[in-house]
Amino acid sequence: MKRLGAVIVFIITCYLQVSAQSISQHTFALGETAFLLDGKPFQMISGEMHYPRVPREAWRARMKMAKAMGLNTIGTYVFWNLHEPEKGRYDFSGNNDIAEFVKIAQEEGLWVVLRPSPYVCAEWEFGGYPYWLQEVKGLEVRSKEPQYLEAYRNYIKAVGKQLAPLQVNHGGNILMVQIENEYGSYSNDKDYLEVNRKMFVDAGFDGLLYTCDPEAAIKDGHLPGLLPAINGIDDPAKVKKLINENHDGKGPYYIAEWYPAWFDWWGTKHHTVSYQKYLGPLDSVLSAGISINMYMFHGGTTRGFMNGANGNDHTPYEPQISSYDYDAPLDEAGNATEKFMQFRKVIAKHLPAGQSLPEVPAARPVIEIPAIKLTQSTSIFSLRPIPVSSDKPLTFEDLGQAYGWVLYSTTLDGNKSGWLQLKELRDYCIVMVNGKRVGVLDRRKAQDSLLLQLPAGKVKLDLLVENLGRINFGPYLLSNKKGITEKVIFDHKELKNWQLFKFPFDQLPANTVKTTPVNNAPALKQGSFVLTEVGDTYLDLSNWGKGAVWINGHHLGRYWEVGPQQTIYVPAEWLKKGRNSIAVMELLKPEMKELRGIKHPILDVLK
């Protein structure tokens, strides 16, 4: 019996060795006009899907949907602020396990295009940069500044340990790796791009590297010697012309970001574009042999506080919503849309002879949760941790806090009126006098001042400030601190002697107590509900004010009555049969006590 066991082990070992050798024989290279996989022309039909925007438990199901639409490749960014949330502390576990994401793609027969940048844009907080970079004096992102390069080098080495072994030339399924990201829209320092390239190689990324830029920026953003991919263009003649001009008259031709729709921000109409607009361009691009990456194939949800924002000298501050549905072919919950089905028909026309697409998986089960009672309410004042004392207000970064809220408290002499001004508010503030809300200040509307009438006696002034998302695109990347970033003035005098209370809410507070809400101050609402079956659902928050939601400890994202998003998607994977817990941090309507789950999203209602 022992001899038989030894023979079986020997056979299995030989099989694994032969399989590994077979896998490692793959090559991926640039041809004159096409990519060459194992020496043969290969057309990437790729779709962007970001691992943190999809529950880990659903990665494989989403990839099966990608295969069913006809994709052979998945594109994804890698997010620095997820993997190094604090300097020197790395996290590649759970939903951050990018290596597992890539391996599952390989098991499902999908190649991967990797985009570790480290700047990602992506409608993501600070464009993917960790907040703590801003606390390093003199550090300048996207530059040759030494402190930035040192932090960048440490990060990309950590990423390389996870992912370099998964490149196609090492037996994995990562075909190409992108350095930087639309750099030509930011600057044109070729020496900086060369530093990027060298750091990637030193981190173990020794396969194909490339850059990507929109039409107006491709000349500034590409590095000679690397493939210059193009974003936002789907005219085959123009794509070929732009790449030829920047690549010694050669291809291959790759549209690194092809936009079948767009994202949303708070207070603005939901963006949708009919699939009819895209069928002709998709067909012509594939007919021309051009490789393509749809941004997005599946958007998913930007959970937690990780949404970014737009804003510059010419446009107001525009924080993005938590839903990243994007009007993509695969909707926020991972179901096929009509756009998916129509794209599938186009792609099917271009399959190699003898190939056919797998059946489209059935839609995910949906449940409607009856009214959920939130029986416990804890005032923000009952949640206060030990304060930090400071003569002047401190920023989130000064406090070592990335996201969430900070409560700024001081005491004034009353019986007077005057204008309260928060110099450089970032980004949203609930103003309270003696525990009662008296107004709201909103950076989106350039609101930083409020006329106050103070009662007699000593008066408590509390300012609850929220980080609504750091800017993820443009020159304001260098000016992204949060909180009260300069000073507070009342009646022409600067206010001092502050107590600062940190509410990062990276985890729910453990010491909540049931309290009667004080006046109309923000409160943490908690409760539970029982399920006999699980399925996807959408929490209807259209009657609530503003805040964030957790279910079973999972931070599902923000809601805000201004819209257009009025629901929060709850994936079935994060629900369970039996008792489930729910928590809602409500800023504007602490009297609310009930919500429910419905079977459809509401993403297009403005108030």
Side-chain angles (χ1 to χ4, degrees), residues 161-197:
K161 288 178 182 177
Q162 298 287 321
L163 296 173
L166 303 180
Q167 294 172 100
V168 66
N169 51 323
H170 295 277
N173 58 324
I174 296 173
L175 295 177
M176 298 197 304
V177 178
Q178 177 187 301
I179 69 165
E180 249 293 346
N181 185 47
E182 297 190 322
Y183 177 68
S185 298
Y186 186 80
S187 188
N188 59 0
D189 187 343
K190 303 294 184 178
D191 292 338
Y192 166 68
L193 288 174
E194 173 58 24
V195 170
N196 275 257
R197 187 199 65 79

Side-chain angles (χ1 to χ4, degrees), residues 403-417:
Y403 319 114
W405 300 270
V406 170
L407 182 67
Y408 298 80
S409 299
T410 192
T411 302
L412 308 178
D413 292 323
N415 199 28
K416 65 175 68 172
S417 65

Side-chain angles (χ1 to χ4, degrees), residues 245-410:
E245 288 175 349
N246 291 278
H247 198 226
D248 299 326
K250 297 181 297 184
Y253 307 105
Y254 179 43
I255 303 171
E257 293 187 11
W258 180 67
Y259 309 113
W262 207 240
F263 60 91
D264 292 333
W265 51 95
W266 293 111
T268 303
K269 183 182 177 182
H270 177 50
H271 293 85
T272 60
V273 186
S274 172
Y275 68 82
Q276 284 99 335
K277 178 179 177 181
Y278 297 106
L279 299 184
L282 178 60
D283 189 35
S284 64
V285 163
L286 296 182
S287 296
I290 295 171
S291 290
I292 192 169
N293 179 52
M294 301 177 189
Y295 192 103
M296 301 289 296
F297 159 67
H298 173 50
T301 310
T302 308
R303 295 184 175 85
F305 301 114
M306 300 311 292
N307 66 279
N310 283 335
N312 55 43
D313 292 331
H314 310 294
T315 60
Y317 173 72
E318 298 169 340
Q320 289 119 21
I321 67 173
S322 290
S323 170
Y324 204 57
D325 177 86
Y326 217 91
D327 193 33
L330 206 62
D331 71 13
E332 184 175 6
N335 293 310
T337 65
E338 184 61 25
K339 188 174 287 184
F340 176 105
M341 301 305 291
Q342 295 294 332
F343 284 8
R344 170 182 157 93
K345 289 179 182 177
V346 173
I347 294 169
K349 292 166 51 181
H350 299 275
L351 291 176
Q355 288 190 16
S356 60
L357 295 179
E359 292 296 315
V360 179
R364 291 164 58 87
V366 184
I367 61 173
E368 186 169 308
I369 302 175
I372 302 170
K373 303 288 186 181
L374 301 177
T375 56
Q376 184 172 321
S377 183
T378 307
S379 165
I380 189 75
F381 297 110
S382 298
L383 295 171
R384 289 177 297 185
I386 297 172
V388 174
S389 298
S390 176
D391 189 43
K392 294 188 174 186
L394 300 176
T395 66
F396 279 51
E397 292 77 11
D398 293 335
L399 293 166
Q401 179 176 329
Y403 319 114
W405 300 270
V406 170
L407 182 67
Y408 298 80
S409 299
T410 192

